[in-house]
Amino acid sequence: MRLATLRDGSRDGRLVVVSPDSAHYVPAPVGTLQEALERWSDIAADLAAIDHFPARLDPATLAAPLPRAWQWLDGSAFESHGALMDKVLGITPEKTGLPLMYQGLSDRFYGPTDAVPMPDENLGIDFEGEFGVIVDDVPMGIRAADALNHIRLIVQINDWSLRMLAGPEMKTGFGWVQAKPACSMAPFAVTPEELGDQWRNGRVCMHLLVDWNGARFGAANGEAMGFGFHELVAHAARTRHLPAGTVIGSGTVSNPNFREVGSSCIAERRGIEIVDEGAPRTPFMRFGDRIRMEAQTRDGRAPFGIIDQHVLAYQGA
């Protein structure tokens, strides 16, 4: 099942069920994705049974599948990316055996084709290609094995970052605020069965194709997560209940052979250059730059649709 949200002038949009070819839709029997998640056990079967899609889908009318959420919790589950960044920054992290995770802003997620305003191109504008999951109500203290049953939808995310602010904020010991503006989501949120055997062990086992200004930048695979999404959900719920609609991210998709497959963010590319050449040479994004992200199945399908955006200067309210 594939779900999307049409812009209708409200903050949460109008939930629709999308045809398998992503070309048509029908309004869902509930108004918003948040409402659907809160009533999932009652309405999921009705949503899945829909097989008639009379309306033509215009991609330009789509918001993020979940335009705002109760929580956005982002992990850093790809060990190759974390180890490289630690080496570049000279950080020796404490070995806890636990996932890394921070809580970011969730009052908005940009839609898949939205222009993204940034305050200053000298702040190190960077994209970060990720996968994410959206859960229903998760009880505190849940085991990872049980958490898998609370993952209702899977999404593709661009976690925007401002790298010149990230390092100083990390060194305060309190984490990110200014360095992490709103994220973007690809147009479709899909149920796990939509991915077939490319959803395994709580991981999206698909290539994430990242193109920057029309040139291929990365094609890392999501299977390399050190922790599966069920483990990230359990980690997040250790001391709190997670409300339906909580979004949990994988962190930057990265593979150990990143020199061959490329990267899902500029910071990783710059880190490779620092290690290999002594200094970075790849610049960060400039106003007008375009980023395109598309996760593909083995047969070339894009179940999440495509993120295709450009950055521009914020002009004020």
Side-chain angles (χ1 to χ4, degrees):
M1 180 168 55
R2 194 172 302 189
L3 302 175
T5 293
L6 292 180
R7 301 181 192 275
D8 66 354
S10 70
R11 290 189 174 186
D12 298 305
R14 181 69 173 89
L15 182 65
V16 299
V17 184
V18 180
S19 61
D21 64 0
S22 303
H24 298 83
Y25 74 92
V26 63
V30 293
T32 68
L33 182 54
Q34 181 63 39
E35 182 181 355
L37 289 160
E38 291 172 359
R39 298 177 51 197
W40 194 262
S41 60
D42 297 325
I43 68 164
D46 292 337
L47 292 172
I50 293 173
D51 60 3
H52 179 57
F53 307 93
R56 184 75 183 178
L57 184 63
D58 178 1
T61 64
L62 294 178
L66 192 61
R68 56 179 177 162
W70 286 106
Q71 288 188 101
W72 157 238
L73 303 171
D74 196 17
S76 181
F78 290 88
E79 295 174 356
S80 55
H81 178 79
L84 177 65
M85 293 297 99
D86 289 343
K87 184 174 183 178
V88 169
L89 296 173
I91 296 173
T92 303
E94 181 180 353
K95 301 295 184 182
T96 66
L98 299 173
L100 298 174
M101 186 174 287
Y102 76 93
Q103 184 161 349
L105 69 86
S106 59
D107 62 294
R108 72 171 62 186
F109 286 88
Y110 289 114
T113 60
D114 287 347
V116 178
M118 294 290 181
D120 185 348
E121 64 181 10
N122 294 315
L123 293 179
I125 302 169
D126 198 358
F127 49 82
E128 287 191 57
E130 304 191 10
F131 296 111
V133 297
I134 308 177
V135 299
D136 61 8
D137 289 300
V138 179
M140 180 169 58
I142 193 168
R143 299 182 309 146
D146 297 324
L148 199 63
N149 296 323
H150 289 273
I151 295 172
R152 298 307 187 185
L153 296 166
I154 307 169
V155 292
Q156 177 189 309
I157 294 169
N158 181 7
D159 176 28
W160 293 98
S161 296
L162 299 173
R163 299 298 186 184
M164 295 299 105
L165 300 176
E169 284 195 310
M170 286 177 66
K171 291 175 183 177
T172 68
F174 254 50
W176 290 311
V177 175
Q178 295 178 346
K180 289 292 186 177
C183 302
S184 304
M185 278 190 191
F188 307 128
V190 307
T191 49
E193 60 266 20
E194 188 79 11
L195 304 184
D197 68 354
Q198 291 185 263
W199 171 251
R200 296 192 301 275
N201 301 319
R203 294 160 170 84
V204 180
C205 304
M206 297 169 56
H207 294 309
L208 180 58
L209 308 183
V210 178
D211 296 331
W212 179 16
N213 291 333
R216 179 58 43 83
F217 193 82
N221 192 286
E223 190 171 10
M225 287 175 72
F227 295 93
F229 274 112
H230 54 308
E231 294 166 305
L232 296 183
V233 171
H235 176 76
R238 182 184 178 191
T239 60
R240 65 171 95 173
H241 300 288
L242 303 182
T246 296
V247 185
I248 296 180
S250 65
T252 305
V253 178
S254 176
N255 294 165
N257 60 334
F258 39 51
R259 291 176 178 83
E260 290 75 43
V261 302
S263 298
S264 302
C265 69
I266 300 171
E268 183 173 281
R269 175 71 60 84
R270 287 168 61 91
I272 296 167
E273 292 164 352
I274 291 170
V275 170
D276 292 352
E277 305 170 32
R281 53 183 173 79
T282 300
F284 289 110
M285 297 183 80
R286 295 294 184 185
F287 295 145
D289 280 7
R290 182 169 293 276
I291 186 67
R292 185 182 189 277
M293 297 180 179
E294 177 184 10
Q296 285 191 355
T297 59
R298 283 186 294 269
D299 58 2
R301 293 182 298 111
F304 307 106
I306 298 168
I307 293 174
D308 190 353
Q309 301 181 296
H310 70 277
V311 292
L312 76 169
Y314 176 62
Q315 299 296 328

